[in-house]
Amino acid sequence: MSFWHKNQSDYEHMQRILEQNPGMNATHLAKQLGVAPSTVQRRLPAMEEAGYLLYEDDKGSLWSFGKKR
């Protein structure tokens, strides 16, 4: 089992917040989740591995493109 499977619900929660608040940065997302910004940064690569399509622009804003099927 991949590491990301045990955090699936956390990733789904992050995805929903980003869909509702496009362009949010990691610090604001962390506040919404009640976690440290470093936790959000650490989760981003695993979310990609789990199939969540995210984009971080030059300003550090995060954008959700949904989930690969």
Side-chain angles (χ1 to χ4, degrees):
M1 177 186 295
S2 297
F3 170 78
W4 60 267
H5 282 287
K6 70 179 187 174
N7 295 320
Q8 186 75 28
S9 64
D10 293 335
Y11 301 155
E12 289 172 359
H13 190 205
M14 288 175 67
Q15 182 80 8
R16 279 193 305 277
I17 291 172
L18 289 172
E19 287 172 352
Q20 295 169 359
N21 303 283
M24 179 180 280
N25 68 29
T27 302
H28 289 115
L29 179 56
K31 286 180 185 176
Q32 289 282 321
L33 295 168
V35 300
S38 61
T39 300
V40 170
Q41 290 293 341
R42 194 173 51 251
R43 287 178 181 171
L44 293 176
M47 286 183 71
E48 182 178 351
E49 181 183 328
Y52 293 93
L53 304 175
L54 301 174
Y55 172 73
E56 184 174 8
D57 66 18
D58 294 338
K59 296 178 183 178
S61 299
L62 298 167
W63 306 86
S64 171
F65 293 103
K67 188 170 191 304
K68 289 190 289 187
R69 302 210 181 245

